[in-house]
Amino acid sequence: MGNRRLHGCLGTVVGLALAVLAAMLLGRVWNACDTGVNNSANSSFLLLLFIPGLWAVLLLSWVAVGVVLGNRPLLHTLALAVTLLAVSWCTLSIFWRGTTYDCPSGVPPWWPGFLPTPGF
């Protein structure tokens, strides 16, 4: 039982960390590209809706991968990493806005050129 409890706590912490990092990245992109109503409305959306919603989805995906794969540590770890990163990337892709006056290409000026921008 101790191993499952540790696994659950790790899933909670990793899910929250990814949700907060995705919200910070999205907030900075919205701020740099002047997207949305204003910074207050964007911040309220990210804090009150985005982070808890993404955290819940990440936790559910964590539990689903754990149930499907069972007790295979190496495969379980690889599948968790891929699943959590894919869910975070898809979430960023949904909320990443298109072109604006400040970002004519849809990408903020500070975004590294070697990384692809989120999108489908």
Side-chain angles (χ1 to χ4, degrees):
M1 186 58 111
N3 191 20
R4 294 181 73 100
R5 185 170 294 162
L6 177 64
H7 189 260
C9 290
L10 183 64
T12 303
V13 170
V14 168
L16 181 61
L18 275 174
V20 169
L21 287 174
M24 287 176 57
L25 177 64
L26 196 57
R28 289 174 193 234
V29 168
W30 286 353
N31 191 25
C33 292
D34 197 27
T35 304
V37 178
N38 58 27
N39 286 339
S40 176
N42 291 346
S43 298
S44 297
F45 167 76
L46 290 173
L47 284 174
L48 300 176
L49 296 174
F50 184 80
I51 291 176
L54 181 58
W55 191 21
V57 169
L58 289 172
L59 281 177
L60 288 175
S61 63
W62 182 277
V63 169
V65 168
V67 168
V68 169
L69 292 179
N71 197 11
R72 298 180 200 135
L74 185 59
L75 183 62
H76 194 208
T77 304
L78 179 66
L80 282 173
V82 168
T83 302
L84 293 179
L85 290 175
V87 168
S88 298
W89 189 264
C90 289
T91 305
L92 283 174
S93 298
I94 290 170
F95 290 103
W96 193 283
R97 296 292 178 222
T99 60
T100 61
Y101 179 75
D102 294 329
C103 301
S105 64
V107 180
W110 49 264
W111 188 261
F114 62 90
L115 284 178
T117 57
F120 295 115

